[in-house]
Amino acid sequence: MQHLKLFFLCLLALLLTAQGSFAQQASPPPVERKLSFPDTLDNSSTPLSVSDTLTTPSDTLSATSKAKMMPTSPILSDIVYFAEDSIVSDFVENKVYLYNKAWFEYGEMKLDADLIIIDMNKSEVYASGVTDSLGNVTGNPFFKEGETVYEIRKEMRYNFKTQKAIIKDVVTEQQDGILRGETIKKTTDGSVYLSHGYYTTCKLTTPHWHISSKKIKSVEGGQVVTGPFNMYFNGIPTPLGLPFGLLPNTPEEKASGVIFPSYGNEQVRGLFLRDLGYYFAINDYIHARVTGDIYSNGGWGLKSQAVYKKRYRFSGGFNVDFQKFKSPETELNPVDYNTFRIQWNHAPESRGNSRFSASVNAGTTSYFNNIISQNNFQNNVSSEFTSNVSYNKTFANTPFTMSANMRHSQSVQTGEVRVDLPTVSLNMNRQSPFKNIDFEPLKTLNIAYNFNLQNSITNRVESEFGVSNELLPDNGSPELIPFTVANLGLLLDNARNGARHQIPLSSNFRLFKHFTGTASMNYTELWYLNRVNYYYNPNQERVDKIIEDGFNRVSYYNTSFNLNTNIYGFFNFKGKGKLQTIRQHIQPSIGFSFTPDFSDPSFGYYQEVQVNNEGDTQLFSRHQGFIYSGAPLGESRAMSINIRSVLEAKIRNESDTAEATTKKIPLLETLNFNTSYNFAADSFNLAPFSISTRTSFFERKLSVNLSTTIDPYAVKEFVNGERVTVRRVNEFAWKNGQGIGAIRNASLNMNLSLNPSSARNPGEVRDEVTNNFLQQGGVMNEFVESEINRIVTDPSQYIDWNIPWNLNVGYNLSYSQAVNGTTNTVQGLNLSGDVSISEKWKINFNTGFDLQAQEITQSMIGIARDLHCWQMNVNWIPFGRFTSYNIDIRVKSSILQDLKVSRRRSFFD
């Protein structure tokens, strides 16, 4: 009887276990025990008190065959669930009912709802909210699988065997976008099909905008595909729509795809399509885009942009823009141009002993005259192209460094082009060979070495005949030739090149306790491959030149000794006012220098040539106009004087809650005076006085810079028949009643910067932009970092909404006076800034006024509006060669930068 009871209990346990083929785990309280099947093939797992008297026939199948024939379960991981109210198991239907704040977990899937029904026969989960007696629904399902979240308004069914789902009225986030549909079907591969759905990037409950379509498909890691759709703003339908739509849905912006163009009409160029092309996400290191423009009146353009980055090595970008347009319909003002621009920037990471970097900005001079950048005002008023490609190397365990550069400069206004290719330098750091000697002048003696090699090509070509000189009018003015391949031979013949060696020696030591002396000598040697021979042409009454080829060296040197000290003065005020002390710091310096007369015929560096029929002669350098010029002309035994002064005040800051403190304010940040006297010169021994000063006011909000040059020599009129000339004479101005001298040039620069908060540096702005991007769910990578750097360094791309207003005022004055009394004055006023007229509205402006011409300079007015998930920018250039306006309304989401509503009117109109 006991054996029969034992057998019955074991049989009942097996039946109950067969019904419970899943586990349940609860978070306390309450805690349910996880159920598991006993292993019926292992006798040791079920100890028997009575030995089995039945003999078991031997198994004819091997153990390996048994393992392969065992059935596999569709459930691949533990099933865990919990309910706060109750858990009801129906063993007949093989279902489990979870009530009130229930959750269900299986692998990476988690489901929360007030009602969850688990159907083990169908491997299915059903979830919905619960309706109370008043008809209110609470506890709607919240479904999460991996990183994808579904907020369900009605109900859902999920098959955890196939991982498919059908959901009613759901909202889900796909990357930066939000999908909502009446019915949604999720497939095994993660793709989502929506019926009567919409797509938006606005995360408000009632979005500002959305795309509505009857059929939408979201492909995991691919794109969102829609059928015919309309665009809605604030729930209002618009006529904007297309028969189908493709929206990116790829993480970390690694998707290739079509770039849709903008379209419009211009008065001159006609109908156009702009920026139609394709975006290539080539790999994790290189992204590129190729776009084109086309105009109905006869023009087209092609653009290529690429960015690249290799972590811990280098990063950069390469852009090419070619534009061609010809409009025969505007005969009175034809538009005909072929223009291009090339930009390349390359920056390495700091590693190793070598470094290669590049910043190239080149193009045709007509580019900025015809192509306007709608988003970069500074680009439109640029006056030149500049480029530099450099390679630097440090030789380990040596004092030597090397650099090689390619430099390019091109004036947009004059068309002058200069290319330095190459420029090579080899430098030895200063070495102290006697640093262990106690005698201070020898102990501090140091020596260095600098070598420079340069080849300069320019389209400014000097006249083949005639050399300018002081006694005759200039009859050989330079001219500009087109910088083209056809003129390459002439350009190379006109190139200037040479090499320079410099060896500086110096030593500094203390004299008489309060003085510091510095003795130095500089030796320079120049290497050229030719030199100039001059002769007088009596037929043309001019000096001509002949180029003599052959290796030519020029060497010269100079020595100097400088003595300087520091003088401090204090003026204390014992009154009760805020001013306590005025402190003055004066740094006087006196120097002596000597340079031999290298124009002596024994050196062969200068040639004395007749310059007119009267027999007057003049010295000409045989290396005039060369890349490093030639040896200095004439002997120099000069004494130089330099005085620098700083004046500041200490004032008291009174406080009611603490002791009084003091702070320093600058009265004169610097006041400099310098001149020199050459004892070896036969006339005009005293050099002009140079005076400059700099100071600031109102806690450095207003800065003032002033500089001037005063000529101490008098001027007199000389009458030759009817011709009257004015020349300097070797007499001091104060001896001829002309004061201390004439002001030859002067400049005044004032800048005022006002805003209610302290300005932030680019690093702080970069951190803010990065944090905002991360808070919006963005994922940082190399290309995002590159884009953030571009935005931060371009003021037209970043708007600081935290500063309510900002104002910058600049005033510039430049004055010059020639010896004959002719004066030239240039002065202008610059004004820029921005103001927030509300929390979401900001106006920015940039303008100026030429006080001499009495006209307004290039100006721009911009309006920015923060539209939550959209950004609106309006830029207007009201007059000038770039007269235009453009209005852009863009989605803020980084994956929808090409989704916009634009209206542009070009300056051609």
Side-chain angles (χ1 to χ4, degrees):
M1 190 65 179
Q2 295 295 332
H3 293 339
L4 185 57
K5 290 182 178 180
L6 181 60
F7 176 78
F8 181 79
L9 291 175
C10 291
L11 180 61
L12 181 60
L14 288 173
L15 292 174
L16 292 175
T17 306
Q19 297 292 330
S21 60
F22 54 91
Q24 45 184 329
Q25 174 181 326
S27 58
V31 178
E32 295 197 7
R33 183 172 58 88
K34 185 184 296 184
L35 301 179
S36 61
F37 289 104
D39 192 346
T40 58
L41 299 178
D42 188 0
N43 293 330
S44 62
S45 63
T46 310
L48 298 176
S49 59
V50 181
S51 302
D52 194 347
T53 58
L54 299 177
T55 60
T56 304
S58 60
D59 196 339
T60 60
L61 299 176
S62 64
T64 306
S65 299
K66 291 179 184 178
K68 291 181 178 180
M69 293 180 63
M70 286 297 296
T72 58
S73 172
I75 302 176
L76 303 178
S77 63
D78 291 342
I79 296 176
V80 186
Y81 57 81
F82 168 76
E84 187 174 288
D85 191 328
S86 59
I87 300 176
V88 179
S89 300
D90 186 344
F91 295 110
V92 177
E93 298 291 337
N94 202 9
K95 295 181 179 180
V96 178
Y97 297 83
L98 310 177
Y99 295 99
N100 194 11
K101 297 182 180 179
W103 53 263
F104 173 91
E105 288 186 359
Y106 173 72
E108 294 185 352
M109 184 272 286
K110 183 176 181 180
L111 175 64
D112 294 274
D114 271 5
L115 173 61
I116 298 178
I117 302 175
I118 308 170
D119 190 338
M120 292 303 304
N121 291 335
K122 298 180 179 179
S123 300
E124 186 177 279
V125 177
Y126 171 84
S128 69
V130 176
T131 305
D132 59 18
S133 59
L134 300 178
N136 299 322
V137 180
T138 59
N140 284 328
F142 190 84
F143 177 61
K144 181 178 181 182
E145 186 173 39
E147 297 297 327
T148 306
V149 176
Y150 300 85
E151 184 181 345
I152 302 165
R153 308 296 173 86
K154 291 185 179 179
E155 62 184 22
M156 74 162 289
R157 293 184 184 274
Y158 176 80
N159 189 303
F160 49 84
K161 177 180 177 180
T162 62
Q163 298 184 4
K164 295 181 179 180
I166 295 179
I167 311 171
K168 301 291 186 180
D169 196 358
V170 62
V171 176
T172 178
E173 185 172 353
Q174 303 282 314
Q175 297 304 320
D176 282 355
I178 296 175
L179 288 168
R180 180 175 180 178
E182 293 182 1
T183 303
I184 181 173
K185 180 181 179 181
K186 176 188 168 297
T187 60
T188 305
D189 61 0
S191 299
V192 174
Y193 296 82
L194 289 91
S195 174
H196 295 86
Y198 72 64
Y199 178 88
T200 183
T201 57
C202 183
K203 298 184 179 181
L204 296 179
T205 304
T206 303
H208 288 117
W209 76 276
H210 69 271
I211 292 173
S212 178
S213 177
K214 291 184 178 180
K215 295 180 180 180
I216 299 178
K217 177 183 178 181
S218 174
V219 181
E220 179 93 18
Q223 61 271 332
V224 176
V225 183
T226 76
F229 70 86
N230 280 91
M231 185 175 290
Y232 284 68
F233 292 96
N234 289 328
I236 301 173
T238 69
L240 300 175
L242 290 172
F244 67 93
L246 293 174
L247 306 174
N249 186 30
T250 302
E252 301 183 12
E253 301 180 7
K254 296 180 180 178
S256 300
V258 176
I259 300 175
F260 288 93
S262 60
Y263 57 91
N265 183 38
E266 290 182 357
Q267 181 177 346
V268 174
R269 292 182 287 188
L271 297 171
F272 65 80
L273 284 177
R274 284 179 182 160
D275 295 327
L276 172 63
Y278 197 84
Y279 188 89
F280 299 91
I282 300 173
N283 52 41
D284 291 341
Y285 306 104
I286 302 176
H287 282 203
R289 59 180 287 170
V290 177
T291 58
D293 310 333
I294 186 169
Y295 301 88
S296 63
N297 286 351
W300 58 274
L302 185 64
K303 304 173 187 176
S304 175
Q305 298 172 297
V307 292
Y308 59 87
K309 179 165 185 176
K310 188 171 184 180
R311 185 174 295 180
Y312 309 124
R313 297 299 297 273
F314 53 79
S315 63
F318 187 83
N319 300 331
V320 178
D321 184 4
F322 176 81
Q323 298 286 330
K324 179 181 178 63
F325 187 78
K326 185 174 183 179
S327 177
E329 298 180 6
T330 55
E331 296 180 357
L332 297 178
N333 188 20
V335 180
D336 186 357
Y337 61 82
N338 293 327
T339 185
F340 71 90
R341 184 183 187 187
I342 297 176
Q343 294 175 288
W344 176 37
N345 62 85
H346 178 89
E349 301 288 344
S350 298
R351 56 178 294 171
N353 296 323
S354 60
R355 178 183 176 89
F356 174 81
S357 61
S359 175
V360 175
N361 183 15
T364 56
T365 55
S366 61
Y367 183 87
F368 288 126
N369 294 328
N370 296 285
I371 309 302
I372 184 172
S373 174
Q374 299 283 357
N375 298 319
N376 194 332
F377 175 77
Q378 296 300 326
N379 235 11
N380 302 331
V381 295
S382 297
S383 60
E384 64 177 358
F385 294 106
T386 57
S387 306
N388 183 41
V389 179
S390 65
Y391 174 78
N392 300 276
K393 182 174 179 60
T394 301
F395 297 95
N397 303 319
T398 71
F400 292 95
T401 60
M402 185 199 75
S403 66
N405 294 269
M406 188 284 288
R407 297 187 179 92
H408 156 267
S409 64
Q410 179 178 350
S411 174
V412 175
Q413 297 177 347
T414 65
E416 182 177 353
V417 180
R418 174 174 172 172
V419 178
D420 294 334
L421 178 67
T423 299
V424 179
S425 64
L426 178 66
N427 303 311
M428 183 186 75
N429 297 330
R430 291 185 177 271
Q431 302 296 305
S432 301
F434 308 108
K435 60 183 177 181
N436 296 324
I437 297 178
D438 293 335
F439 184 57
E440 190 175 16
L442 284 179
K443 183 177 183 178
T444 59
L445 178 67
N446 56 75
I447 182 172
Y449 170 73
N450 302 310
F451 170 77
N452 299 93
L453 175 68
Q454 185 172 343
N455 179 59
S456 180
I457 303 172
T458 178
N459 65 339
R460 179 178 285 271
V461 181
E462 295 184 357
S463 175
E464 184 178 359
F465 303 101
V467 178
S468 60
N469 63 84
E470 298 176 355
L471 303 181
L472 289 177
D474 187 4
N475 53 3
S477 59
E479 62 176 348
L480 297 179
I481 63 173
F483 202 92
T484 60
V485 177
N487 293 327
L488 183 60
L490 181 59
L491 293 171
L492 293 177
D493 292 338
N494 191 56
R496 298 183 299 170
N497 46 61
R500 180 177 62 189
H501 307 261
Q502 290 180 312
I503 302 177
L505 290 88
S506 64
S507 175
N508 57 80
F509 42 87
R510 186 173 296 278
L511 291 173
F512 315 116
K513 290 186 179 181
H514 302 294
F515 295 89
T516 301
T518 302
S520 64
M521 184 188 77
N522 293 281
Y523 174 80
T524 304
E525 182 167 309
L526 309 176
W527 289 355
Y528 296 118
L529 297 178
N530 47 46
R531 69 175 185 175
V532 180
N533 289 325
Y534 300 94
Y535 68 95
Y536 179 66
N537 186 341
N539 296 328
Q540 301 293 332
E541 296 187 4
R542 70 187 183 198
V543 177
D544 287 340
K545 61 184 178 180
I546 299 176
I547 302 298
E548 178 185 344
D549 293 330
F551 179 75
N552 198 256
R553 56 186 292 271
V554 179
S555 59
Y556 57 92
Y557 65 91
N558 66 328
T559 60
S560 64
F561 177 78
N562 292 279
L563 194 67
N564 58 77
T565 187
N566 292 282
I567 301 174
Y568 298 92
F570 296 89
F571 306 93
N572 297 317
F573 299 88
K574 298 182 180 180
K576 296 183 179 179
K578 291 186 176 182
L579 181 62
Q580 287 188 324
T581 304
I582 292 179
R583 175 180 178 267
Q584 186 176 22
H585 178 201
I586 303 175
Q587 291 179 299
S589 174
I590 184 171
F592 302 89
S593 63
F594 169 71
T595 303
D597 184 9
F598 291 100
S599 64
D600 190 282
S602 60
F603 291 102
Y605 300 151
Y606 283 82
Q607 181 181 354
E608 188 172 5
V609 185
Q610 180 181 345
V611 295
N612 54 29
N613 291 331
E614 286 76 16
D616 296 326
T617 61
Q618 182 179 334
L619 285 173
F620 288 89
S621 171
R622 292 181 179 269
H623 307 94
Q624 178 177 318
F626 283 33
I627 191 71
Y628 297 115
S629 298
L633 174 64
E635 181 184 4
S636 174
R637 295 193 305 272
M639 179 184 69
S640 61
I641 299 175
N642 180 44
I643 301 175
R644 179 179 181 271
S645 178
V646 176
L647 194 66
E648 57 186 8
K650 183 184 292 185
I651 61 174
R652 181 187 293 108
N653 282 337
E654 297 181 356
S655 176
D656 297 335
T657 58
E659 296 182 357
T661 59
T662 60
K663 70 174 182 178
K664 295 179 181 179
I665 60 172
L667 301 179
L668 281 178
E669 294 181 0
T670 179
L671 173 62
N672 298 316
F673 170 84
N674 62 75
T675 187
S676 64
Y677 189 89
N678 186 3
F679 295 95
D682 58 357
S683 60
F684 302 105
N685 305 76
L686 185 62
F689 304 136
S690 178
I691 304 173
S692 64
T693 184
R694 184 182 75 250
T695 189
S696 60
F697 303 94
F698 312 115
E699 298 183 352
R700 300 184 184 272
K701 293 185 181 297
L702 173 64
S703 63
V704 180
N705 294 270
L706 176 65
S707 63
T708 183
T709 301
I710 301 176
D711 184 359
Y713 287 95
V715 295
K716 288 186 177 180
E717 292 184 354
F718 296 87
V719 180
N720 185 8
E722 296 181 355
R723 183 179 179 183
V724 179
T725 59
V726 179
R727 294 203 303 264
R728 296 174 72 207
V729 294
N730 191 30
E731 298 177 5
F732 291 118
W734 53 82
K735 292 184 177 180
N736 289 269
Q738 299 179 9
I740 63 172
I743 297 178
R744 293 298 171 212
N745 56 70
S747 64
L748 172 64
N749 177 266
M750 302 174 64
N751 288 287
L752 176 65
S753 179
L754 298 174
N755 60 63
S757 61
S758 58
R760 295 177 299 168
N761 57 50
E764 294 173 334
V765 176
R766 183 179 291 103
D767 292 341
E768 179 182 344
V769 175
T770 303
N771 293 333
N772 290 340
F773 176 77
L774 294 175
Q775 290 174 2
Q776 295 174 4
V779 179
M780 293 296 298
N781 55 54
E782 292 86 349
F783 302 104
V784 172
E785 293 176 2
S786 176
E787 186 70 7
I788 289 176
N789 290 333
R790 182 187 67 82
I791 292 173
V792 171
T793 55
D794 187 353
S796 65
Q797 299 292 322
Y798 177 74
I799 298 174
D800 192 343
W801 296 93
N802 295 322
I803 299 179
W805 58 271
N806 182 49
L807 178 64
N808 297 296
V809 183
Y811 173 74
N812 298 282
L813 171 65
S814 177
Y815 169 83
S816 63
Q817 181 183 17
V819 176
N820 60 6
T822 303
T823 62
N824 181 34
T825 304
V826 177
Q827 56 180 333
L829 185 68
N830 300 316
L831 189 66
S832 65
D834 55 71
V835 58
S836 296
I837 57 179
S838 71
E839 183 181 0
K840 301 296 183 180
W841 283 94
K842 184 177 282 288
I843 297 177
N844 55 81
F845 55 90
N846 194 324
T847 186
F849 187 76
D850 189 335
L851 298 175
Q852 295 301 118
Q854 295 293 310
E855 62 181 16
I856 300 175
T857 59
Q858 185 72 67
S859 304
M860 185 273 293
I861 300 174
I863 301 176
R865 174 70 164 96
D866 185 357
L867 299 173
H868 185 256
C869 53
W870 293 75
Q871 175 81 40
M872 182 184 74
N873 291 287
V874 179
N875 293 314
W876 178 36
I877 301 177
F879 47 81
R881 58 176 179 154
F882 293 128
T883 301
S884 63
Y885 74 83
N886 72 283
I887 303 173
D888 281 334
I889 303 177
R890 292 178 177 268
V891 179
K892 285 185 177 179
S893 170
S894 60
I895 67 172
L896 291 179
Q897 288 300 314
D898 288 318
L899 178 61
K900 58 188 176 181
V901 180
S902 302
R903 174 69 173 98
R904 289 193 177 96
R905 182 179 296 271
S906 171
F907 64 92
F908 286 119
D909 296 341

